[in-house]
Amino acid sequence: VSTDASNDSDKTLIDSNTSERTLPDRVDSVDSTDDYSWNRQNSLAATMKEWDIPYEDLNVGDAIGKGRIGTVYRGQWHGDVAIKLLDTGNSTDNEAQLAAFKLEIAILRKTRHENLVLFMGACMKPPRLAIVTSFCKGQTLYTMIHLNKNTFKINKAIIIASQIAQGMSYLHARAIIHKDLRTKNIFMDSGKVVITDFGLFHMTKLCRGTKSQCVSNEKDNWLSVPKGWLCYLAPEIIRSLQAMQQSDLPFTKMSDLYAFGTVWYELLCNEWPFRSQPCETVIWQVGKGIKQSLSTVSAPREVKEILMSCWSFRSNDRPDFAQIAKALDRIPRTRLIRSPSHPCQLSRS
Ligand code: ADP
Ligand code: MG
């Protein structure tokens, strides 16, 4: 493992001489592992039509930022929207990859929950592949916690965590694994949690080039790990990190739970776990089942228990999101704000 200083200081690179350097020929759908069949693609194409937004219909405004799979623009389409324009390079001529994009869209259109970003449609005509969602006017938890250094009172943290758990519980009930749950993908919009980017992790495959590119380019022997990504990865994911396989990592509902644990830690402590430790150390510790210590965290026992259960080394020992929501609800709020010097605060609550 080494750090790529020449290219992008935000990236850590993991050498994997022994890893297979091929990408699978088949792209799995999220709710099924069936092979592509001609019929399936055809019926999908028909359903997809109603979600197709011609790119020309969008009024694309300023770029807001660039993420792993493309650039997000603010735009207008019957009101404010966010347009995620995929960075597909020259790989969109590959029909299987376009079909993979449509499968991801098929996932997004199934989602309706107040704590999930509203999917509005997609531009599905190569080379312009884009996802159109409602525009979140608030800030991400990442901005609030790590940039603006906001701190949350414990009761507020519980409300936020509870809304995240509800949105995630809904996703899991619909057989959707988020795969990229982190504070950068959670907005606070008018006091309400809005989770974004669920299920899109598969698209790294779409945006990372073809098999031949992987083999020919020496850089592709390395897996680049975006800054701040590692601490959301469950031990079973960490242990399977290999070059060129980011999009084939073994994400499960349980790995989403682990990522939630990290978000919960950030809400409580205003920092990432394993802060300022080198990536190699984090990989070694998490892979061995060593957790960030909570000894200096001043929070009620129940709060720490939830966190530790999400970070369980064995994925089956982690609770599900419905259990998390219940556990959060059970934390006695009055006790949390009780202060001997302000007895009246307790009665008002
Ligand atoms: P990342 O998640 O790593 O920040 P993204 O590509 O998802 O990368 O997002 C790029 C930028 O666009 C970020 O600043 C993000 O907050 C912003 N963004 C993404 N989706 C929306 C949205 N629906 N509404 C407003 N801003 C968004
Ligand atoms: Mg994002």
Side-chain angles (χ1 to χ4, degrees):
V1 183
S2 68
T3 306
D4 180 17
S6 60
N7 185 14
D8 177 351
S9 58
D10 272 4
K11 305 223 166 136
T12 290
L13 304 169
I14 298 173
D15 190 6
S16 175
N17 294 326
T18 51
S19 72
E20 288 174 33
R21 281 197 243 147
T22 53
L23 291 172
D25 296 328
R26 185 170 63 81
V27 182
D28 292 338
S29 76
V30 161
D31 50 2
S32 150
T33 50
D34 293 346
D35 289 336
Y36 284 124
S37 72
W38 188 84
N39 276 342
R40 194 182 158 138
Q41 284 202 31
N42 264 2
S43 66
L44 186 64
T47 321
M48 285 300 100
K49 246 187 179 167
E50 59 188 281
W51 296 98
D52 197 358
I53 303 174
Y55 187 79
E56 307 73 53
D57 287 5
L58 296 172
N59 187 353
V60 183
D62 293 338
I64 312 170
K66 197 167 163 51
R68 198 170 0 214
I69 64 168
T71 305
V72 176
Y73 296 85
R74 190 174 183 154
Q76 292 285 315
W77 189 70
H78 308 292
D80 274 345
V81 290
I83 302 161
K84 186 166 258 193
L85 190 61
L86 266 60
D87 183 8
T88 52
N90 58 3
S91 61
T92 48
D93 47 5
N94 184 324
E95 265 179 45
Q97 286 175 324
L98 182 58
F101 175 69
K102 289 185 176 176
L103 277 175
E104 302 294 347
I105 300 306
I107 299 164
L108 295 179
R109 75 187 162 85
K110 289 201 299 179
T111 55
R112 284 157 193 271
H113 189 279
E114 65 168 341
N115 298 119
L116 301 180
V117 74
L118 179 68
F119 169 72
M120 298 178 74
C123 305
M124 303 187 211
K125 206 168 161 207
R128 286 207 173 109
L129 302 182
I131 296 160
V132 182
T133 63
S134 58
F135 184 84
C136 300
K137 293 195 173 69
Q139 291 179 324
T140 62
L141 285 180
Y142 164 82
T143 304
M144 297 172 91
I145 295 170
H146 300 288
L147 302 183
N148 297 349
K149 308 287 179 197
N150 291 0
T151 53
F152 297 104
K153 292 219 168 88
I154 186 77
N155 280 359
K156 179 71 179 168
I158 291 174
I159 291 168
I160 295 171
S162 173
Q163 291 185 14
I164 299 170
Q166 281 167 24
M168 289 302 300
S169 170
Y170 170 89
L171 276 184
H172 284 185
R174 312 230 67 188
I176 299 167
I177 302 169
H178 191 301
K179 300 183 189 146
D180 201 15
L181 183 65
R182 53 196 170 105
T183 44
K184 277 195 175 180
N185 285 333
I186 303 170
F187 280 84
M188 287 304 296
D189 209 349
S190 312
K192 198 178 72 180
V193 162
V194 178
I195 304 171
T196 64
D197 284 355
F198 28 90
L200 299 185
F201 196 83
H202 254 72
M203 290 206 217
T204 50
K205 192 176 284 181
L206 187 72
C207 303
R208 284 201 141 236
T210 61
K211 200 188 280 187
S212 59
Q213 283 174 320
C214 301
V215 177
S216 63
N217 184 345
E218 235 195 295
K219 273 241 152 187
D220 292 323
N221 281 330
W222 303 80
L223 171 67
S224 85
V225 178
K227 190 182 176 191
W229 183 54
L230 221 43
C231 58
Y232 298 101
L233 298 185
E236 65 273 17
I237 308 267
I238 292 268
R239 292 168 76 105
S240 27
L241 282 177
Q242 284 184 334
M244 286 318 296
Q245 300 208 343
Q246 264 199 57
S247 50
D248 299 320
L249 292 169
F251 289 104
T252 58
K253 289 178 183 176
M254 291 298 130
S255 59
D256 278 350
L257 255 304
Y258 185 95
F260 171 83
T262 299
V263 171
W264 187 215
Y265 180 86
E266 290 172 79
L267 281 168
L268 296 172
C269 305
N270 307 304
E271 62 186 29
W272 282 296
F274 302 112
R275 188 175 65 118
S276 67
Q277 292 194 29
C279 292
E280 300 88 326
T281 321
V282 178
I283 289 172
W284 190 85
Q285 292 182 95
V286 176
K288 286 274 180 195
I290 299 168
K291 296 171 196 151
Q292 161 74 50
S293 159
L294 302 184
S295 58
T296 56
V297 180
S298 59
R301 181 179 48 84
E302 299 92 328
V303 165
K304 293 187 185 184
E305 275 171 8
I306 294 173
L307 181 43
M308 281 304 173
S309 64
C310 293
W311 277 347
S312 295
F313 182 71
R314 284 169 20 163
S315 58
N316 286 341
D317 292 342
R318 294 172 207 147
D320 62 31
F321 277 108
Q323 290 169 317
I324 295 277
K326 267 196 204 136
L328 288 165
D329 260 5
R330 277 200 301 263
I331 299 175
R333 311 290 163 99
T334 48
R335 202 186 99 197
L336 299 173
I337 60 163
R338 185 177 297 163
S339 157
S341 54
H342 296 95
C344 59
Q345 220 181 357
L346 179 66
S347 56
R348 251 191 246 131
S349 72

